[in-house]
Amino acid sequence: MPGAARTVMGVGLARNRYLLLTAAVLPLVVGLGLLVAGQDRAAFFAFVAGTVPVLAVLVFDIARALGEGRFGLDLLAALSMATALAFGEPLAGNVVALMYASGQQLERFAEGRARREMTALAARAPRSALLREGDTLREVAIGALKGGDLIVVRQGDTIPADGRICGGPAVLDQSSLTGEAHPVRLEEGEEAPSGAVNVGGAFDVRVLRPADESTYAAIVRLVEAAAASRAPMARLADRYALAFLVVSLALALAAAFLSGDPRRALAVLVVATPCPLILAVPVALMAGLSRAAKRGVLVKSGGALEKLAAVRALVIDKTGTLTHGRAQLQEIRTAPDFASDEVLRLAAALDQASSHVVAAALVAAAKARGLALAVPEGVAEEGGVGVTGRVEGREVAVGGCTFVAARATSNGDALRACLPVASAVVAVAIDGCFAGLLILADRVRDDAGEMVRALRAGGVDHIALASGDRAEAVEALGRSLGLDSWAGDLQPGGKVAHVTDARARAHARLASGTVMMVGDGVNDAPALAAADVGVALGARGAAASAEVADVVLLVDRLDRLAEAMAIARRALAIARQSVFAGIALSLMGMLAAAFGLLEPVAGALLQEAIDVAVILNALRVLIPGQGEG
């Protein structure tokens, strides 16, 4: 066969593991039949025919991996098959070929089972949308959708792009996004996330942003990146694999030399093919990622899953994280010559340009009072600190008291007397004058205390609260939840400093320790990036925080974070257990082969049994364990 043809054949076999398995099985069955019929020579060639194609594909795969700078234990399988052919033991070579091909299929099945919850997201991504154009409907590719388009979502359809409900109400199944099984009802005007499935009557959606910039597309991209990632533990397994290869070869050569029987070397090699190292770690970690995704926690990579298991210190934001982030306006205090409705109207008009949860609360309060909001101009925002701009020709500044006081002729001290302890305060300056304070209240999440207790039970021994809110409100919340430290009036750089301080504390106590930061706003993005593990509340959080975070909490429940940590710890424990148990069993089999207690064929069958046991053990990660829902 010409070289080019052989290459094409090798590539085809490498891409079709079913064909590879067939190439090993059929000759083996035929050869065993010929042996029973007494046709030993014909059986010999049948076994050779069952070994050579698999060996050719394996050599091709090894060469390609080495060219990409990757190394694995497939080399042992190639050596054992080649050695079997060289020693005139084609039956052993054919059995090894079968074990290798079936092992590939078994691994693909296990990883497919482990990825199921993650790949289900991408599989459900819609390909087209029904666009309403006047009185007509036209099916278009979702890539053609743009902001302002009106689309029809029929019963059973997946919403292709983020939008607002028109002609509602709508009943949506958001389980693929949040992990919550119960349908939710959205009224007209409420925002509907892409990826939710319509389980009620048809309704219209006014598209807010293109499909590739919407919630579901971002989640699918994160899932694909997580599925393609390689964890540090997997790379560490590669280094163990090199040591195992050296030990295997040394034992095989020593057995052949000391016994004078080269078949013992072959028996040792087939027992060592393949190694649980290349099976257990990726399956267990992928199962952990999938299990976390099913609980509404998207872990972006295997490396992030490993870090999540090692968290010892936590820095957490307040607004929208420990609180519901749905602050309601309680009181308006104004300076002389300013009316309360005027202060609220101008502040809310400017805050239309901000994504902060408090800004949304002010806009909602103004609309509830029937105040008309003009479009702001020249808007400049300092994330998490404040916003400036022009509204109806007037210069307006909205934000923290320090931020606004720096842009006004007074600091409003008289208005800040006797503020409610647990309130959030927004200052407003108009045309360079301190105009007033908007006082809001934000209820603490019901599951905040439970999350703190679960995290401490999981090994987190230092929890710090870092917030841009008033120091008094932050201290009151920190004390009520029994946290270890707290700080308020922080700008984004201050939160980064708290992450750095928490890492220093962890290292001082434990000589190591991973720091996790939890937040939901644009102002949290720098701290999320600075932490070892950044966790963004993706259910309602800002896109910027979700992009830089290592973990995205898709469901609006803090208790799932403690569950994700329990899943991560269990996944790593099972991966290590599988590796060490598999290596121990393989070494015992290799020693038995070295002393002549195992024939090559029996050794290959033993190793396959070990591989099956290792993969099944790794798949236990998919079964809920202690601390998981």
Side-chain angles (χ1 to χ4, degrees), residues 40-56:
D40 294 359
R41 184 170 178 79
F44 179 95
F45 287 109
F47 297 141
V48 170
T51 307
V52 171
V54 178
L55 178 58

Side-chain angles (χ1 to χ4, degrees), residues 390-621:
R390 292 185 303 279
V391 179
E392 298 176 344
R394 306 185 73 176
E395 296 292 332
V396 181
V398 180
C401 291
T402 303
F403 175 83
V404 171
R407 291 157 177 80
T409 54
S410 64
N411 57 19
D413 282 345
L415 299 178
R416 285 189 278 176
C418 301
L419 287 172
V421 173
S423 63
V425 177
V426 177
V428 182
I430 301 174
D431 292 330
C433 297
F434 201 98
L437 297 177
L438 306 174
I439 302 169
L440 304 95
D442 187 6
R443 188 166 58 89
V444 177
R445 290 173 178 267
D446 296 334
D447 59 349
E450 180 61 32
M451 180 206 69
V452 170
R453 288 189 291 273
L455 289 175
R456 291 201 187 282
V460 178
D461 55 13
H462 184 84
I463 303 178
L465 176 60
S467 174
D469 288 350
R470 290 186 308 116
E472 297 90 340
V474 173
E475 180 180 1
L477 179 58
R479 289 188 183 280
S480 69
L481 293 176
L483 306 186
D484 299 294
S485 63
W486 46 81
D489 295 319
L490 295 177
Q491 295 190 5
K495 293 185 180 182
V496 173
H498 269 70
V499 170
T500 304
D501 180 64
R503 183 179 292 110
R505 288 172 179 266
H507 280 265
R509 291 191 309 274
L510 305 170
S512 64
T514 301
V515 177
M516 179 166 64
M517 168 70 194
V518 183
D520 77 322
V522 174
N523 59 316
D524 297 317
L528 292 173
D532 297 306
V533 181
V535 180
L537 273 66
R540 292 185 290 106
S545 60
E547 286 297 323
V548 301
D550 304 290
V551 179
V552 181
L553 200 59
L554 300 177
V555 59
D556 196 21
R557 290 179 53 177
L558 288 178
D559 58 342
R560 295 292 172 84
L561 185 57
E563 279 190 41
M565 290 177 60
I567 290 169
R569 289 193 298 270
R570 186 164 175 264
L572 261 66
I574 289 176
R576 293 189 182 98
Q577 178 190 84
S578 298
V579 166
F580 296 140
I583 288 178
L585 291 172
S586 293
L587 287 173
M588 290 170 61
M590 290 161 61
L591 288 172
F595 284 99
L597 302 177
L598 273 179
E599 292 295 316
V601 174
L605 294 173
L606 173 64
Q607 183 57 58
E608 180 68 3
I610 293 172
D611 293 341
V612 171
V614 162
I615 287 181
L616 291 178
N617 188 62
L619 284 175
R620 287 196 302 115
V621 177

Side-chain angles (χ1 to χ4, degrees), residues 362-371:
L362 293 182
V363 172
K367 289 182 176 179
R369 296 189 180 201
L371 302 178

Side-chain angles (χ1 to χ4, degrees), residues 230-240 277 280-282 284-285 302-303 306 571-577 579-580:
R230 296 198 72 217
M233 187 175 179
R235 293 192 292 270
L236 182 62
D238 288 344
R239 292 199 291 272
Y240 286 153
L277 277 168
V281 173
L285 295 185
E306 289 189 44
L572 261 66
I574 289 176
R576 293 189 182 98
Q577 178 190 84
V579 166
F580 296 140

Side-chain angles (χ1 to χ4, degrees), residues 102-116 279-280 282-284 286-288 290 611-612 614-620 622:
S102 61
Q104 293 287 305
Q105 283 300 118
L106 184 60
E107 184 179 8
R108 287 168 67 87
F109 165 78
E111 287 203 0
R113 174 69 178 84
R115 291 172 189 256
R116 187 171 64 183
L279 302 175
V283 170
M286 185 56 65
S290 183
D611 293 341
V612 171
V614 162
I615 287 181
L616 291 178
N617 188 62
L619 284 175
R620 287 196 302 115
L622 294 172

Side-chain angles (χ1 to χ4, degrees), residues 257-475:
F257 177 77
L258 295 175
S259 68
D261 182 3
R263 294 179 72 256
R264 291 196 184 184
L266 173 60
V268 171
L269 289 176
V270 297
V271 175
T273 308
C275 175
L277 277 168
I278 62 177
L279 302 175
V281 173
V283 170
L285 295 185
M286 185 56 65
L289 295 177
S290 183
R291 176 71 189 148
K294 186 174 183 179
R295 301 301 295 162
V297 183
L298 180 60
V299 184
K300 292 185 180 181
S301 68
L305 189 77
E306 289 189 44
K307 291 180 180 178
L308 192 62
V311 168
R312 293 294 178 267
L314 168 67
V315 178
I316 191 166
D317 178 44
K318 172 180 175 286
T319 304
T321 304
L322 284 177
T323 63
H324 284 279
R326 302 188 187 98
Q328 294 183 331
L329 184 64
Q330 301 293 312
E331 181 185 355
I332 302 177
R333 298 184 182 183
T334 60
D337 302 326
F338 288 96
S340 59
D341 276 2
E342 183 72 356
V343 171
L344 175 60
R345 185 178 69 84
L346 293 176
L350 179 60
D351 265 347
Q352 291 177 107
S354 173
S355 62
H356 198 280
V357 290
V358 172
L362 293 182
V363 172
K367 289 182 176 179
R369 296 189 180 201
L371 302 178
L373 303 182
V375 177
E377 300 175 339
V379 177
E381 181 171 6
E382 293 185 26
V385 180
V387 187
T388 60
R390 292 185 303 279
V391 179
E392 298 176 344
R394 306 185 73 176
E395 296 292 332
V396 181
V398 180
C401 291
T402 303
F403 175 83
V404 171
R407 291 157 177 80
T409 54
S410 64
N411 57 19
D413 282 345
L415 299 178
R416 285 189 278 176
C418 301
L419 287 172
V421 173
S423 63
V425 177
V426 177
V428 182
I430 301 174
D431 292 330
C433 297
F434 201 98
L437 297 177
L438 306 174
I439 302 169
L440 304 95
D442 187 6
R443 188 166 58 89
V444 177
R445 290 173 178 267
D446 296 334
D447 59 349
E450 180 61 32
M451 180 206 69
V452 170
R453 288 189 291 273
L455 289 175
R456 291 201 187 282
V460 178
D461 55 13
H462 184 84
I463 303 178
L465 176 60
S467 174
D469 288 350
R470 290 186 308 116
E472 297 90 340
V474 173
E475 180 180 1

